[in-house]
Amino acid sequence: MIGALLETIFTRCFVIIKLNLFCIALTLIGLIVVGIGPALLTINQLFCEQQWDYKQITWKKTWVLYKQNWPRANQLFFTFAAVGLFIGYSLYLAVQVQGVIFLIIDFILVFVMLALFITYSYAIVLNNRFEISFLNLIKLACITFYSNFFMLIKLIISIGFVLVMTYQFPGLLMFASLALIQIICVFTTKKWIVMIERKIVVEGD
């Protein structure tokens, strides 16, 4: 019993470390700017397909998926990044001005930044589960953000915990944080994905 539990823990830790190192390697290969989007999409897809089967998570398979994901992943990443930069610059300007109204605007912009990050995370998962056009992917990711309050809170708390732990222990960024966030996104949206799949089947019939 204890042996099986230890084996499970070791296997899952190994998968997390492996995915995280692959993500960092792919990001560096893409010179960071054009590598981070495809890297995140690729490790998310790997986990969606293989779960905790570490033997199936190979560099060869990862590299093939990375090249396949390159156009869509960068399109997705830069779309959200462009909006994020605009919101971020607006927030920077807003915090320079004092007053209650601008304080409210600051909170609104922070919420929008958070919503943008979560919607991007949803978009990554949805892209790997459905064959869908880019515009419909964005629409579905936005719908997902507002679809389930408890799913949203669970995701925010879980990712927040990972970020806090990473801040406390920076080494996690190298060995766990990026992969953990993608794994959390996959598990958090599992019920929602099943619901969409059932709806597609019903409408198809």
Side-chain angles (χ1 to χ4, degrees), residues 4-192:
L5 178 61
L6 290 175
E7 183 180 358
T8 299
I9 293 173
F10 175 79
T11 299
R12 297 193 174 189
C13 289
F14 182 64
V15 168
I16 292 170
I17 294 171
K18 196 172 185 180
L19 286 173
N20 207 81
L21 291 176
F22 281 178
C23 184
I24 291 174
L26 294 173
T27 300
L28 293 176
I29 288 173
L31 302 178
I32 300 176
V33 177
V34 294
I36 183 64
L40 292 173
L41 197 65
T42 297
I43 65 167
N44 187 288
Q45 184 177 354
L46 275 170
F47 187 76
C48 282
E49 293 176 354
Q50 310 302 335
Q51 295 290 303
W52 302 110
D53 189 356
Y54 68 92
K55 293 181 180 178
Q56 295 299 320
I57 301 175
T58 64
W59 175 254
K60 182 178 180 180
K61 187 175 295 183
T62 302
W63 180 244
V64 171
L65 292 176
Y66 180 73
K67 291 187 291 184
Q68 291 175 352
N69 289 329
W70 184 279
R72 170 61 73 90
N74 275 313
Q75 184 183 21
L76 193 62
F77 175 77
F78 283 111
T79 297
F80 280 91
V83 179
L85 285 174
F86 175 76
I87 300 300
Y89 183 67
S90 300
L91 179 61
Y92 170 76
L93 294 177
V95 297
Q96 308 301 315
V97 184
Q98 295 182 346
V100 177
I101 294 178
F102 286 98
L103 183 62
I104 295 173
I105 292 175
D106 292 344
F107 278 109
I108 292 173
L109 290 176
V110 168
F111 172 78
V112 173
M113 288 287 288
L114 177 63
L116 198 65
F117 174 74
I118 297 299
T119 304
Y120 173 67
S121 300
Y122 284 149
I124 290 177
V125 178
L126 293 167
N127 181 82
N128 289 330
R129 299 303 296 267
F130 303 104
E131 292 185 7
I132 187 173
S133 68
F134 182 76
L135 184 58
N136 286 331
L137 174 62
I138 299 298
K139 290 179 181 178
L140 185 56
C142 292
I143 292 171
T144 302
F145 179 83
Y146 294 103
S147 65
N148 189 310
F149 177 75
F150 293 105
M151 179 177 73
L152 177 63
I153 294 300
K154 189 188 300 183
L155 182 61
I156 291 174
I157 292 175
S158 299
I159 292 179
F161 177 75
V162 173
L163 294 178
V164 169
M165 292 301 295
T166 303
Y167 178 77
Q168 295 293 327
F169 306 99
L172 289 174
L173 186 62
M174 174 66 70
F175 298 105
S177 299
L178 298 173
L180 270 176
I181 289 174
Q182 294 308 311
I183 291 171
I184 287 169
C185 291
V186 171
F187 278 114
T188 305
T189 57
K190 184 173 288 187
K191 291 183 179 179
W192 173 247

